Amino acid sequence: MVWLTGGALAICVLMIVGMLALIVAQGSGTFWPQHIVRWQTRAGATLMGEIADVERHRPEPEAFERLPEAARAAARAFVEREGGESERRLLRVENFELTGKHYTWVSDYEIASESEPEWALALERRAGGRFYGTPKAYVRDGERLTTEPAATWALVEQELPGVQDRIATADAIRRDDIGRVNHEIEDSRLAVRRAELADGVDAPSARVARELFAARESELSKEFARLRGEIDALERQNARYALIVETGDGVEQSIPLDQIVRAIPANRLGPLERLGVYGSRWAEFVSAEPRESSTEGGVLPAIFGTVAMTLVMSILVVPFGVLAALYLREYAKPGPLVSFVRIAVNNLAGVPSIVFGVFGLGFFCYLVGASIDQVFYAERLPSPTFGTGGVLWASLTLALLTLPVVIVPTEEALAAVPSSMREGSYACGATKWQTIRRIVLPRAMPGILTGMILAIARGAGEVAPLVLVGAAPLAPELPIDGEAPFVHPSRSFMHLGYQIYHLGFQSRNSEAAKPMVYTTTLLLIGLVVLLNVVAIAVRAKLRRRFQGAQV
Amino acid sequence: MIRAQREVTKKSVVKPMSPESGGPKSAVERPTRKVFDAVKEKRVFDAEIHPSLSTEEMVLEIDDFSLFYGASQALWEISMGIPKGKVTALIGPSGCGKSTLLRSVNRMNDLIDHVRIGGTMRLNGDSIYAPGVDVIELRKRIGMVFQKPNPFPMSIFENVIYSLRIDGERKKSVLEEVCEASLRGAGLWEEAKDRLHDSALRLSGGQQQRLCIARAIAAEPEVLLLDEPCSALDPIATGRIEDLIEELKGSYSILMVTHNMQQASRTSDYTAFMYLGRLVEYGPTEDVFVQPKLAETEDYVTGRFG
Ligand SMILES: Nc1ncnc2c1ncn2[C@@H]1O[C@H](COP(=O)(O)OP(=O)(O)O)[C@@H](O)[C@H]1O
Ligand SMILES: [Mg+2]
């Protein structure tokens, strides 16, 4: 029996550890800059890229038929030496506009020769994926300044930071200043409409508002034009620079410098520089917006959405759960009805989460949300405001889902409060509510926080219901931002869990997205752990207050 | 003297004639062990109440008080007065209803389902069980200390002023004053004054019990109920609590349950002996211990049973 139970435990632990190890290994490797290899295939092609995966396989005899006549014998001999098997490697070739693919499998017997070109560059671009090649020339104002790789690279290193600064400046103008101008125009337009609605179209107040609006608008459009001009100037400045690179098979391609996010001379990096690139990729991942339908760039909006939704959910579920548990434990007369309710609550935890999603969509979005729209946002109809998925509805749905997770430990914690403490309080002349508020709840707080921790862990990792009630693969705006009223509960949001699902299983190119899936998974697990650690720390702090309790 | 033959109007109780019924007995010649027989046969008898009690002013009057836990009766028509400013000890074997009687005074038994009561109690003349009595207000006039120290999970300071807090007292000066006075009253001030804002749960058991006493006297109760306040403590802590009870005597009227004969004889002015839910003998402590009127009492206080 010891062996059976111990074995079962060992298998459980192994599976969990194995899963975590896989995620950590795969997820943490994604951003490590690999060496760039160049392969000459027996078929006569040249491939250049990073090795993404390796596996052994047994080539079928027909596979050799696809090789050119001359190479067949050598390939057959190669495989024979390996005992009829061959390794094959997944090469990240990219250069999508030329190759039409991101990855390709190549078996070792197909490779005639392999090298690591010293100057091979991995260029991460704003659009179009990565580009692998060797630097050929640096172009400024259409003029080739260099021909040597070293000199070319030196110029890139010198001028790329300036280009990127200008891009950042332009982005900031676009986001902040132009956003503000648009907002002000919209505000004064709304002021006109308000005046017209209140006093009628011909009323003097409306006329005043219209005049104000006209003045403000011309002023603002001048401002707008000025800002646009600034951006254009920055972009014109950036457009002067380009890098010409040569792909593995000798094609020259011009890459404008303002397209380059990061240029890595992958085969020239020392260990420290490699670590630096790794760190900067992670930093971008957690602090930047996504690019290229989330297969590149960062996941900041998704992190933000996950945390915001989880927090809102906790804020909703904890008070409700605690109140419900208080009623069940402290106020309700024990009896069959209470037992039934308790069983029902416990079973709620077993309902598939997608059912909650369907309920959330039907009840919160289509019923409650649509009613809110009709009453408060009638002018925006038929486009829904609250009548569709949003962060509030998602949080509410998850709050419902995690309710039993809060109620059960809270009830246990309430039951564990020694009756001697309650009696002491009653004997002092406290009412029931005073006793609960001052004695029972503080004493049960660690248990309540346990419930909250479980709810956070459950809620942050839940995806299925979110698909229905508001998670989006790409949300243009965050649910909380600097624009009044700062909190926008009706906005859809990005979520790490949904991101994983969407990237891995919904995107056009899931092979290209695979590394991102692992990395995002790693991040999500890390985030859930972090949220839990914070909650556990709070609980430990509370527990210390009860240290030395003898009763 | 047993007065089992007294003509009483109490219903529900059978009253067979006892063989000794008839003429009055002399005080020297004690009727022996008839009380326990009477109790066991569920016959009515009147408690032996020493006449010296009648000169005392009573803070609490218990009148024909009975209590039932569901179908089982735990207290049987108890009538006694608790003198003002004195310490009254309740003694008796385990399960005889001492705690039940004590908890009836501040109506803690209301918290238990299926409890029925009969008879009345009066606190300084105000009925405790009359319909319409505000239990919360009543409990504020009574302090209670339990068998096991039960400090609340909060600071020492908050523990002491708990009853003021729930009354909504906010003035810091008042709270601090009451806290100091109560802690001094409970002999805990010197030990606790530097750690008032530490958790009360970090105090030792004896300190916790004195804290509970401080908490109970903070509201200036009219009567203080102590239910075996020392039974969970070591001898040294017990000694300190006994000294404390000694000091509180006079300023407070104390009704104390104890299991310990020495404690009762050392600290109390009056002692009531209970047996199986009945009050058996009640009188000045010295009399009860040295020359009890009933042989059963003598057996109990000398440790021959119980
Ligand atoms: N909550 C309760 N429910 C039912 N019976 C009780 C309860 N509390 C006490 N009793 C019974 O009442 C009797 C008196 O108990 P108690 O007052 O605690 O005795 P003592 O304090 O003298 O040891 C005992 O027989 C006990 O079993
Ligand atoms: Mg007891």
Side-chain angles (χ1 to χ4, degrees):
Chain A
M1 214 45 216
V2 167
W3 290 105
L4 188 67
T5 50
L9 176 69
I11 289 172
C12 294
V13 171
L14 263 179
M15 286 199 298
I16 292 168
V17 169
M19 186 189 80
L20 284 180
L22 176 78
I23 289 167
V24 170
Q26 297 272 6
S28 58
T30 306
F31 292 144
W32 187 255
Q34 306 277 350
H35 285 261
I36 297 173
V37 296
R38 177 157 60 188
W39 289 339
Q40 212 76 50
T41 67
R42 293 185 200 279
T46 310
L47 300 170
M48 193 153 90
E50 295 176 35
I51 296 166
D53 202 1
V54 184
E55 64 179 39
R56 285 196 80 78
H57 76 132
R58 183 174 284 279
E60 291 146 18
E62 304 88 71
F64 299 107
E65 307 299 323
R66 289 197 291 272
L67 292 174
E69 203 99 29
R72 279 178 205 165
R76 280 214 179 85
F78 180 91
V79 172
E80 227 114 275
R81 267 203 308 283
E82 300 275 311
E85 287 189 355
S86 169
E87 290 211 320
R88 69 175 164 199
R89 288 180 278 183
L90 185 64
L91 192 69
R92 183 166 185 182
V93 290
E94 298 285 356
N95 303 5
F96 194 75
E97 63 266 49
L98 303 176
T99 59
K101 54 190 165 194
H102 296 283
Y103 288 84
T104 182
W105 280 106
V106 182
S107 298
D108 280 1
Y109 66 82
E110 292 174 289
I111 299 171
S113 75
E114 174 174 336
S115 65
E116 283 188 10
E118 190 200 352
W119 277 106
L121 286 183
L123 301 175
E124 292 170 29
R125 296 182 295 176
R126 257 167 243 291
R130 290 191 188 179
F131 201 94
Y132 294 113
T134 44
K136 199 75 190 147
Y138 188 79
V139 177
R140 188 189 292 151
D141 299 323
E143 184 190 339
R144 290 191 179 214
L145 297 183
T146 59
T147 48
E148 285 301 303
T152 308
W153 176 244
L155 274 178
V156 170
E157 271 196 317
Q158 186 190 319
E159 300 203 323
L160 187 58
V163 171
Q164 285 178 339
D165 280 352
R166 283 188 284 275
I167 291 175
T169 314
D171 280 349
I173 294 174
R174 239 180 239 118
R175 193 180 54 234
D176 303 335
D177 298 334
I178 293 192
R180 181 178 47 75
V181 167
N182 283 337
H183 210 78
E184 278 180 36
I185 293 179
E186 183 64 23
D187 273 356
S188 46
R189 202 201 314 280
L190 278 176
V192 171
R193 187 172 308 155
R194 251 194 312 278
E196 286 176 355
L197 279 177
D199 305 333
V201 184
D202 301 321
S205 67
R207 213 165 30 242
V208 171
R210 267 197 299 275
E211 277 158 18
L212 263 176
F213 169 64
R216 194 89 192 100
E217 196 190 25
S218 70
E219 197 178 308
L220 285 168
S221 32
K222 263 190 230 113
E223 169 84 358
F224 185 86
R226 189 181 63 74
L227 292 168
R228 209 41 266 169
E230 267 179 45
I231 293 175
D232 286 346
L234 287 164
E235 283 179 347
R236 260 198 312 281
Q237 176 81 357
N238 275 351
R240 291 169 56 207
Y241 312 104
L243 173 67
I244 305 223
V245 288
E246 186 182 40
T247 64
D249 39 10
V251 180
E252 279 192 9
Q253 178 86 3
S254 169
I255 314 243
L257 233 55
D258 63 6
Q259 278 296 303
I260 298 176
V261 176
R262 203 181 277 108
I264 303 158
N267 294 345
R268 291 177 56 85
L269 293 179
L272 269 183
E273 291 163 303
R274 222 166 267 283
L275 204 64
V277 172
Y278 184 68
S280 88
R281 280 178 175 170
W282 265 109
E284 185 198 1
F285 184 62
V286 296
S287 67
E289 306 257 322
R291 283 182 278 120
E292 310 226 21
S293 53
S294 306
T295 56
E296 297 280 341
V299 289
L300 183 67
I303 296 177
F304 190 87
T306 309
V307 172
M309 188 213 63
T310 309
L311 289 185
V312 175
M313 177 205 78
S314 309
I315 291 168
L316 291 170
V317 73
V318 171
F320 268 97
V322 170
L323 286 177
L326 269 179
Y327 183 79
L328 279 179
R329 180 58 61 182
E330 304 283 332
Y331 288 98
K333 267 212 168 60
L337 186 65
V338 168
S339 305
F340 174 78
V341 169
R342 200 168 280 140
I343 291 169
V345 165
N346 281 325
N347 281 327
L348 209 60
V351 174
S353 56
I354 191 73
V355 175
F356 285 94
V358 173
F359 172 78
L361 183 70
F363 182 72
F364 293 132
C365 303
Y366 292 165
L367 200 72
V368 182
S371 315
I372 293 177
D373 277 358
Q374 236 138 47
V375 178
F376 296 106
Y377 298 97
E379 73 275 8
R380 301 197 197 172
L381 286 173
S383 79
T385 307
F386 276 97
T388 180
V391 69
L392 177 67
W393 299 145
S395 302
L396 266 172
T397 305
L398 283 197
L400 202 62
L401 178 88
T402 49
L403 206 50
V405 180
V406 173
I407 291 181
V408 172
T410 302
E411 250 209 285
E412 275 165 16
L414 292 176
V417 176
S419 60
S420 68
M421 278 191 192
R422 295 166 200 258
E423 286 193 338
S425 173
Y426 288 129
C428 285
T431 60
K432 184 160 197 165
W433 171 240
Q434 286 170 330
T435 302
I436 289 173
R437 194 172 80 75
R438 292 177 181 270
I439 309 289
V440 176
L441 276 183
R443 172 71 202 215
M445 200 44 86
I448 294 170
L449 285 177
T450 300
M452 189 173 118
I453 289 166
L454 292 173
I456 287 175
R458 177 87 203 271
E462 194 62 66
V463 178
L466 299 184
V467 178
L468 298 178
V469 291
L474 194 70
E477 291 162 307
L478 297 176
I480 299 173
D481 62 15
E483 183 189 324
F486 308 114
V487 181
H488 312 277
S490 67
R491 283 188 186 168
S492 64
F493 62 103
M494 294 177 74
H495 185 274
L496 284 173
Y498 183 59
Q499 200 76 354
I500 292 167
Y501 167 73
H502 190 81
L503 269 181
F505 308 100
Q506 302 286 294
S507 62
R508 275 172 293 117
N509 190 342
S510 39
E511 191 64 47
K514 206 168 100 181
M516 276 304 249
V517 170
Y518 276 116
T519 315
T520 313
T521 310
L522 185 63
L523 188 69
L524 176 59
I525 292 176
L527 196 67
V528 173
V529 169
L530 185 75
L531 284 171
N532 274 294
V533 165
V534 170
I536 288 171
V538 172
R539 182 177 60 177
K541 202 166 160 183
L542 274 179
R543 278 233 174 103
R544 265 196 298 277
R545 281 199 3 211
F546 307 126
Q547 236 171 31
Q550 295 164 344
V551 207
Chain B
M1 137 171 159
I2 307 181
R3 283 173 286 167
Q5 66 276 37
R6 191 187 69 161
E7 283 304 317
V8 276
T9 49
K10 289 162 193 163
K11 329 100 254 178
S12 76
V13 191
V14 210
K15 320 167 289 172
M17 296 294 276
S18 95
E20 283 84 7
S21 61
K25 301 238 154 32
S26 81
V28 206
E29 197 185 322
R30 285 186 200 148
T32 48
R33 290 174 193 79
K34 292 296 176 287
V35 180
F36 287 2
D37 293 341
V39 168
K40 278 180 192 133
E41 290 159 25
K42 305 209 166 174
R43 279 182 284 126
V44 144
F45 65 93
D46 271 4
E48 184 66 55
I49 296 183
H50 294 227
S52 56
L53 267 160
S54 57
T55 62
E56 291 282 358
E57 188 192 347
M58 299 300 178
V59 62
L60 180 69
E61 284 155 290
I62 302 171
D63 208 3
D64 252 355
F65 192 81
S66 302
L67 186 140
F68 304 79
Y69 287 116
S72 78
Q73 190 165 1
L75 296 177
W76 300 71
E77 291 159 15
I78 290 178
S79 296
M80 64 192 289
I82 310 301
K84 191 170 261 174
K86 297 283 161 61
V87 178
T88 306
L90 280 177
I91 61 170
S94 236
C96 71
K98 307 181 295 292
S99 299
T100 304
L101 182 61
L102 208 64
R103 293 163 56 88
S104 303
V105 176
N106 63 351
R107 292 186 57 172
M108 290 301 278
N109 289 325
D110 288 13
L111 303 174
I112 303 168
D113 291 337
H114 313 301
V115 167
R116 282 183 302 120
I117 59 117
T120 60
M121 289 189 185
R122 279 184 306 280
L123 178 65
N124 280 328
D126 306 328
S127 177
I128 290 177
Y129 282 97
V133 168
D134 184 346
V135 185
I136 300 299
E137 285 307 315
L138 170 79
R139 289 193 187 130
K140 287 177 181 165
R141 296 167 60 187
I142 303 170
M144 186 167 193
V145 175
F146 296 79
Q147 205 164 340
K148 268 199 201 156
N150 59 350
F152 300 144
M154 42 179 90
S155 70
I156 295 175
F157 180 77
E158 290 294 330
N159 259 280
V160 177
I161 55 146
Y162 185 75
S163 51
L164 280 78
R165 273 263 187 264
I166 57 181
D167 267 350
E169 178 63 61
R170 285 261 171 74
K171 262 202 226 110
K172 206 157 181 245
S173 57
V174 174
L175 296 176
E176 278 170 355
E177 201 173 298
V178 169
C179 176
E180 177 169 351
S182 309
L183 283 174
R184 278 192 197 284
L188 194 61
W189 176 249
E190 289 306 320
E191 290 151 83
K193 68 177 178 211
D194 296 326
R195 46 194 291 206
L196 287 179
H197 298 284
D198 281 11
S199 168
L201 300 168
R202 257 173 284 202
L203 294 171
S204 75
Q207 288 172 327
Q208 288 188 356
Q209 195 63 304
R210 276 181 281 143
L211 178 67
C212 293
I213 293 176
R215 186 172 75 197
I217 62 180
E220 304 276 329
E222 292 163 38
V223 59
L224 192 55
L225 310 172
L226 311 178
D227 189 352
E228 301 191 40
C230 304
S231 65
L233 305 180
D234 60 72
I236 293 171
T238 302
R240 297 206 57 167
I241 302 267
E242 284 174 8
D243 294 346
L244 177 59
I245 293 168
E246 201 74 39
E247 283 164 29
L248 292 175
K249 192 188 290 183
S251 351
Y252 293 95
S253 313
I254 298 177
L255 178 58
M256 169 175 85
V257 172
T258 175
H259 228 86
N260 182 321
M261 290 310 119
Q262 280 98 48
Q263 192 172 75
S265 63
R266 267 201 305 269
T267 54
S268 67
D269 303 305
Y270 292 94
T271 296
F273 172 48
M274 289 178 68
Y275 183 72
L276 290 186
R278 280 80 164 177
L279 177 63
V280 177
E281 184 165 350
Y282 179 30
T285 299
E286 212 177 289
D287 293 353
V288 171
F289 276 86
V290 179
Q291 41 180 343
K293 296 197 175 169
L294 298 177
E296 287 87 347
T297 312
E298 184 169 26
D299 286 353
Y300 184 75
V301 297
T302 53
R304 245 167 284 168
F305 88 99

